Amino acid sequence: MEDKRILYVSSEVVPYLAENEVSLMSYDVPKMINDQGGQIRIFMPRYGNINERRHQLHEVIRLSGMNLVVNDLDMPLIIKVASIPKERIQVYFIDNDEYFKRKATFTDEEGLMYPDNDERAIFFAKGVVETVKKLNWVPDIIHVHGWMAAMLPIYMKHYYKDEALFADTKIVTSVYSQSFEGNLDLDMINKIKFDGIPEESISNLITPSYENILMASILHSDAVIIASEALSPSLTKYIESSGKPFLPFAQKDQFAEAYTNFYKNTVL
C-alpha cells in the first residue's frame, strides 16, 4: 500500500474514546496501512467527552471558519487536530458547539439518543468532505466506520458527485453489529432531501433505524467489509445480495492481510 492515500472516517477512534469494536478497528486499520507506507488521515467528531488537554487537540484556524447548511440552518465548522502518540498519525476532529459540545457521544445522561443525531451525522459527513477539499488531499479510498459516519457515502455519490477531486476515489464501508435502539428523527429523510438528494436513493431512511441507515450507506459504497462476527442475518443478507464486492469477517490476527488484499485486488 506504499503511497496509497486512504481517508478513514469514523464515529469513534481510540485513544480518544473508550475501546469497542468500532473504535479499535478505526485505529488498527489506519495504523496497519501507515506501517505499510500508505498515506492516511483519520476524521472523527469532536465529542464533548474527549479530553482536549490530555490529547493535545488544537484548532486549525486555516481550515475552520466556514459554515455548513444543515436543514436550512447555517452551522459553523470548527476543525481541530491531534496526533496519535508514537504513531505519527494525524487525526482531524469535526467540531461545532451546537452539535458536539456535550458530555457524551450519542446519548444523554438517561441513556436516550440525542434527538438531533441525524443532523450531527449530516454535519459530520459534510464537514469531512469540505475539510478534505480545503486540504486539497486526494484520497484513493475513503473507508467509513460506524453509523455516525454512514451519511458520507450518500453525500459523496450525490451532493459531491461533480467534485473533480474525488473523481477516482472509491468508498468502502465497514459494517458493525454495534447499533442503537429505535430510530433517529423521522424527519431525517427530508433533511437529506433538502440537499438535493433524490428520495428514491434513500427510500429506506423513511424509517431511520440502525439497519436502514447502514443499508443506505452500503447502497452508496463501492465495496463493503463485514467487520463484526455477529452481524445480524438481515444485514448480512443485504450485503450478500447487494451486488457490491464484500470482504467476509476476518479475525483480529488475520485482518491485516485480508484488508490489504481487499484494498489492492478489489477496491483499487
Side-chain angles (χ1 to χ4, degrees):
M1 296 302 292
E2 188 83 34
D3 292 330
K4 291 298 180 187
R5 292 182 169 194
I6 304 184
L7 172 65
Y8 292 93
V9 184
S10 180
S11 299
E12 307 164 77
V13 183
V14 294
Y16 304 105
L17 292 169
E19 292 186 3
N20 60 41
E21 206 168 35
V22 177
S23 65
L24 284 167
M25 286 305 281
S26 299
Y27 168 81
D28 289 340
V29 182
K31 180 185 182 305
M32 170 198 75
I33 297 300
N34 195 52
D35 290 346
Q36 293 178 16
Q39 298 180 43
I40 64 157
R41 299 281 188 277
I42 302 174
F43 278 75
M44 68 177 291
R46 207 295 294 177
Y47 305 104
N49 56 342
I50 294 173
N51 189 314
E52 292 203 8
R53 183 176 295 175
R54 184 195 308 147
H55 295 296
Q56 299 183 331
L57 272 67
H58 59 272
E59 186 176 348
V60 186
I61 302 298
R62 69 183 177 87
L63 297 176
S64 301
M66 72 179 99
N67 277 26
L68 305 179
V69 177
V70 178
N71 199 30
D72 207 20
L73 287 173
D74 271 359
M75 307 301 276
L77 173 64
I78 301 164
I79 304 298
K80 294 175 180 172
V81 71
S83 292
I84 296 178
K86 302 177 190 169
E87 298 300 338
R88 295 195 307 181
I89 293 174
Q90 275 202 314
V91 180
Y92 291 82
F93 296 83
I94 299 295
D95 198 4
N96 169 271
D97 286 349
E98 187 75 25
Y99 285 139
F100 295 110
K101 201 170 186 179
R102 303 171 190 182
K103 292 178 180 175
T105 50
F106 312 126
T107 58
D108 63 19
E109 289 83 356
E110 268 78 58
L112 299 172
M113 293 280 283
Y114 289 123
D116 62 352
N117 272 339
D118 60 328
E119 294 185 14
R120 298 168 91 208
I122 293 167
F123 182 88
F124 180 49
K126 285 184 167 182
V128 169
V129 181
E130 294 295 347
T131 305
V132 174
K133 282 166 59 182
K134 267 199 170 182
L135 289 168
N136 201 31
W137 191 77
V138 184
D140 296 297
I141 296 172
I142 298 176
H143 191 163
V144 175
H145 298 259
W147 66 263
M148 182 64 84
M151 291 300 101
L152 191 127
I154 295 166
Y155 274 78
M156 284 290 293
K157 296 296 185 184
H158 293 286
Y159 193 76
Y160 293 105
K161 69 179 186 294
D162 297 324
E163 287 287 346
L165 193 73
F166 305 112
D168 299 317
T169 300
K170 297 291 190 286
I171 301 172
V172 178
T173 291
S174 278
V175 183
Y176 296 86
S177 59
Q178 181 184 335
S179 64
F180 55 82
E181 296 295 319
N183 302 312
L184 300 190
D185 185 358
L186 293 176
D187 202 34
M188 180 178 190
I189 190 168
N190 292 320
K191 297 172 188 177
I192 299 170
K193 281 164 58 183
F194 176 84
D195 288 320
I197 295 171
E199 183 169 355
E200 61 268 21
S201 66
I202 49 169
S203 57
N204 53 355
L205 293 182
I206 289 170
T207 307
S209 64
Y210 173 77
E211 291 209 352
N212 284 345
I213 286 169
L214 265 294
M215 286 176 184
S217 190
I218 292 162
L219 180 65
H220 291 86
S221 300
D222 297 298
V224 181
I225 293 175
I226 296 176
S228 293
E229 193 167 15
L231 199 63
S232 74
S234 52
L235 265 179
T236 303
K237 185 178 178 181
Y238 184 83
I239 292 167
E240 290 172 349
S241 62
S242 68
K244 310 283 182 180
F246 72 92
L247 179 69
F249 176 74
Q251 297 288 348
K252 179 86 171 176
D253 59 346
Q254 298 167 336
F255 90 88
E257 184 179 1
Y259 279 41
T260 303
N261 289 338
F262 189 67
Y263 281 159
K264 283 181 177 176
N265 302 329
T266 305
V267 182
L268 292 170

